[in-house]
Amino acid sequence: MAEEAKKNWMTQASFDRLQAELDERTGPIRSEITKKIDAARREGDLKENGGYHAARDEQSQNETRILELQEILKYAEVGEAATDGTIGPGSVVEAKVGPKKMTFLLGSRDAAKGMDIQVFSPDAPLGVALAGHRTGDTVEYVAPTGKKIKVEVLDTHPYQG
């Protein structure tokens, strides 16, 4: 995948939150897991040592999340949403999508992690169709299924996450 296609838009606050999680996982959490593994090893037979296997599983999950965070942060595009009412990365959009009223963020899922908001990539068909539009505009886009969908923008504002 080209580097440009991997870009993840997020606010500085979201970037900082993910960086803090990475620092916690590579520091104190990793050290604590290592201590658990060492303590379990000292107990003897590793084949039947549930504590050892649980700690190894925890280590595997932690290391997987570390790699995921490193990838997200490597391709992070940090910025702030437009404040002039124009829809783009970082915009929260309230819209009527087909017959359904929705509120969503154009950005990275990781940027909104822990927030109760649906997220669409700015590069997704919906995001591309809405880019540059404003409250009151109506656009159509072709969904991945091939169906044409009408979108009426009811409101938009910058994401504050």
Side-chain angles (χ1 to χ4, degrees):
M1 182 184 289
E3 276 195 34
E4 188 61 34
K6 282 188 171 186
K7 290 289 182 194
N8 285 321
W9 182 92
M10 63 184 67
T11 63
Q12 186 65 53
S14 295
F15 182 90
D16 293 346
R17 180 179 44 78
L18 293 172
Q19 183 63 57
E21 181 184 350
L22 177 62
D23 293 345
E24 181 75 11
R25 287 183 175 279
T26 57
I29 292 174
R30 187 182 266 167
S31 294
E32 185 61 35
I33 293 169
T34 300
K35 289 176 187 172
K36 287 179 187 178
I37 291 171
D38 289 343
R41 276 191 181 127
R42 287 191 295 267
E43 291 175 9
D45 186 9
L46 297 181
K47 285 183 183 178
E48 296 181 19
N49 187 327
Y52 173 78
H53 293 291
R56 291 297 304 236
D57 286 345
E58 185 180 357
Q59 179 185 46
S60 176
Q61 291 171 5
N62 188 57
E63 294 303 315
T64 298
R65 180 63 178 157
I66 287 170
L67 292 173
E68 181 180 54
L69 287 167
Q70 289 172 333
E71 185 79 0
I72 291 165
L73 294 171
K74 178 180 178 180
Y75 293 106
E77 186 176 319
V78 178
E80 299 303 321
T83 56
D84 66 355
T86 303
I87 298 173
S91 295
V92 174
V93 180
E94 183 181 323
K96 188 174 175 189
V97 182
K100 184 178 173 185
K101 189 175 175 182
M102 301 173 63
T103 301
F104 52 88
L105 166 67
L106 287 183
S108 164
R109 292 192 195 291
D110 288 291
K113 191 171 186 171
M115 306 293 283
D116 188 24
I117 190 165
Q118 190 170 10
V119 181
F120 290 96
S121 168
D123 299 323
L126 177 60
V128 171
L130 289 173
H133 288 278
R134 302 171 157 276
T135 299
D137 289 352
T138 300
V139 299
E140 276 191 356
Y141 76 99
V142 178
T145 61
K147 180 180 177 185
K148 278 190 179 180
I149 300 175
K150 183 178 172 182
V151 180
E152 179 185 349
V153 180
L154 304 174
D155 191 25
T156 183
H157 59 273
Y159 178 65
Q160 300 297 318

